[in-house]
Amino acid sequence: MSDDVLSVHSLVEAYCYLMATPCPACGKGPLCGASPKPLDTAGGRRTVAIEATCPTCEAVRRLCFGIPADAPTSDSDEFGVVNPTTEPSRILDVAQWIMLHEICAESARKEKTPAQTRRLNLKAARCLEEALKFYDEVGNDLPPSEGFFQEATRRRFRQNPERFSRRRLLNLRAGLPKPLP
């Protein structure tokens, strides 16, 4: 169990982190998060704890997240605004956001109901929007090296840089629905 506080922009981003994080005990994933438990509110931030369970080995881990006090409190399944700022995530890197997009898009392709398909495609679109926050505004079509937080994701980038092309991500995003105002 860890009491280190991970800084996120919203509760949705915290649950995305669980989706992208393998279990430290068995290496499988994704982790399943329980409802957040408030711990503290200070300095314009609130801290919540989420008990994360591995569905494979059933290991339980307590993760603490620091969230801006004014961040939306939508639940994890609602998948509302992930990050209302232009700043990229501090806990999920560009490769993880792309991976989350792929998971959501694949789930949408398998879904039978139009409403659920749209909801999953909206999740996929929001993940791409978060990935694109890592790219420089002009110039390079590839993300900077600072956009990768782990050796595994850096290796994925080195092996398949074309998957990280900004143009590719923008084309994928163009084919997905836009959220209603």
Side-chain angles (χ1 to χ4, degrees):
M1 295 238 193
S2 171
D3 281 345
D4 292 339
V5 178
L6 301 167
S7 182
V8 293
H9 295 95
S10 68
L11 202 49
V12 173
E13 187 178 1
Y15 282 100
C16 287
Y17 179 78
L18 298 178
M19 287 176 57
T21 302
C23 173
C26 73
K28 305 285 185 199
L31 299 175
C32 300
S35 295
K37 305 286 187 249
L39 296 178
D40 184 22
T41 303
R45 295 192 68 74
R46 57 192 158 111
T47 304
V48 299
I50 298 176
E51 296 288 329
T53 304
C54 174
T56 303
C57 72
E58 298 182 3
V60 178
R61 180 177 181 202
R62 180 178 185 239
L63 295 162
C64 297
F65 297 93
I67 304 168
D70 60 349
T73 57
S74 65
D75 99 4
S76 64
D77 196 45
E78 212 173 292
F79 213 88
V81 175
V82 176
N83 174 359
T85 74
T86 59
E87 172 185 287
S89 176
R90 293 178 212 112
I91 64 169
L92 289 162
D93 68 17
V94 64
Q96 290 172 300
W97 284 115
I98 293 170
M99 177 194 67
L100 288 170
H101 155 265
E102 291 165 353
I103 291 168
C104 293
E106 180 63 26
S107 295
R109 284 189 286 279
K110 294 176 181 176
E111 183 54 51
K112 304 276 190 260
T113 63
Q116 182 67 357
T117 299
R118 177 173 169 71
R119 187 171 94 42
L120 289 165
N121 279 325
L122 281 168
K123 283 183 175 186
R126 287 190 173 110
C127 291
L128 285 178
E129 289 166 1
E130 292 307 311
L132 287 164
K133 290 180 181 181
F134 286 92
Y135 291 72
D136 297 328
E137 285 299 315
V138 292
N140 200 345
D141 189 48
L142 296 174
S145 61
E146 303 83 47
F148 299 93
F149 303 159
Q150 308 164 28
E151 183 51 39
T153 57
R154 285 188 280 277
R155 186 173 38 257
R156 259 187 268 159
F157 172 64
R158 286 190 302 271
Q159 291 170 345
N160 296 296
E162 68 281 358
R163 295 186 55 72
F164 295 86
S165 162
R166 179 205 303 257
R167 273 176 276 152
R168 176 182 171 273
L169 299 185
L170 289 171
N171 286 337
L172 288 170
R173 176 63 186 97
L176 295 168
K178 304 254 186 267
L180 297 173

